[in-house]
Amino acid sequence: MNAIGIDIGGTHTRTARVSEDGRILAHRSFATPRDARALLTALIGEAAIFADADTRAIGIGIPGRVDGRTGKILSGGFIDLSVLPLADELNRASQLPVFTDNDANMALAAEARLGAARNLADAAMLTIGTGIGGAILSGGRIFHGGGLAGQLGHITVKADGHLCNCGRTGCLETESSGTALQRHIAEAGLPKGTIIETLLASNSAAVAAWIAPLRAGIDSLVAAFGPEIVILGGGLGASAFKALDRFPSVSPWFQCRVVAAELSDEAGVIGAGLSALERSR
Ligand SMILES: [Zn+2]
């Protein structure tokens, strides 16, 4: 038995055939089209390539808000997939059940099965990239709450901070994402394109401006959910994890182990495949 996992990223979309135990049996990636209809056409082609006699379902990690109870896509960032019935059309073309969820939820599902949260029942994850995604594992399952739980990038960390896409100001995403890091670098007077290793080797104000709000966000999510660990993933997760050492939690109440994600960029497709298999049972 296997499933097709799809992870739609800002630059690349990854697709894979994933086994029941989370192994990638075959994989591809392609540049993500900016147009939702063009992406759907590409995914229909990918499903035709990857499906074999043992394929049971397709799982898709969506960059945006997805109602975890219904799979309905409500909004998107760099590509807005709420404008078409993605799952229905892919189902019609492939004749396979299609399950959608937020991309960070998919990544945490993979970390829970094979990575940093294996053998744990309660964990939180932040995926730090262009934006910041979030996910909660509660009692061994991804927590959807009323449908949209886990948007940890929208915890307020600086009330007078920058305006966020969600309509508020000073969200974790507006202060500690990769996009925010580029702004902090410019504001510190450092050259554009300063690489993260150079930045972390210094005591730059840009590092403090980037990481102090992350510490505040982590402490708040620990206060709210009490996870056993907090996992930092996404393209900047490992760098943020290193820098966080300099910003320990000042609160004795909200101490929690923070770790870097163990699975690479493949967490999204693995989690999408595993989640699809689980839900199709
Ligand atoms: Zn926000």
Side-chain angles (χ1 to χ4, degrees), residues 153-155 163-174:
H154 298 282
I155 289 173
L163 183 64
C164 181
N165 290 330
C166 76
R168 303 195 305 160
T169 54
C171 289
L172 182 57
E173 175 165 289
T174 68

Side-chain angles (χ1 to χ4, degrees), residues 206-274:
V207 177
W210 183 47
I211 295 297
L214 178 65
R215 168 52 72 192
I218 289 171
D219 284 3
S220 292
L221 79 85
V222 170
F225 298 101
E228 294 168 86
I229 55 166
V230 176
I231 304 167
L232 302 183
L236 287 165
S239 299
F241 170 70
K242 276 185 209 152
L244 199 67
D245 260 2
R246 297 179 222 170
F247 299 87
S249 176
V250 295
S251 168
W253 290 9
F254 309 126
Q255 300 292 324
C256 182
R257 192 158 61 97
V258 180
V259 300
E262 286 184 15
L263 303 175
S264 60
D265 290 350
E266 290 167 345
V269 282
I270 295 171
L274 289 175

Side-chain angles (χ1 to χ4, degrees), residues 40 43-44 47 58 60 86-94 98:
L40 171 63
L43 294 183
I44 289 171
I58 298 174
I60 314 176
L86 183 76
D88 288 348
E89 295 211 18
L90 189 54
N91 165 254
R92 200 171 303 131
S94 67
V98 178

Side-chain angles (χ1 to χ4, degrees), residues 24 26 28 31-32 46 50 60-61 76 78 81 87 91 103 142 145 155 195 207 219 245 266 271-272:
I24 291 183
R28 284 159 51 98
T32 304
E46 294 292 306
F50 280 110
I60 314 176
F78 43 81
L81 296 166
N91 165 254
D103 51 5
I142 297 296
I155 289 173
I195 60 167
V207 177
D219 284 3
D245 260 2
E266 290 167 345

